[in-house]
Amino acid sequence: MNTKTSTSTIAIQPEADHPHRWLIEEPQGATSTGVCRICGTEKIFRNWLESSDFITNTEHRMAA
Ligand SMILES: [Zn+2]
């Protein structure tokens, strides 16, 4: 039996069936590359975009 899995995934990618678990790498200038630990999707995050979000992360890290 030929068990060759033919991936019929089209270029169109709808919302994933899971909440992406972004693993953020070291900031490279103004952006950071995040890789989903589940599906491996990469996404560029802009560090400078929302400073309020950045502060929230810092506070969260300090609280932990
Ligand atoms: Zn994912």
Side-chain angles (χ1 to χ4, degrees), residues 44-60:
I44 304 298
F45 291 89
R46 299 178 187 177
N47 299 323
W48 47 263
L49 189 59
E50 296 184 45
S51 55
S52 58
D53 214 32
F54 216 68
I55 294 173
T56 304
N57 287 338
T58 307
E59 289 178 343
H60 185 74

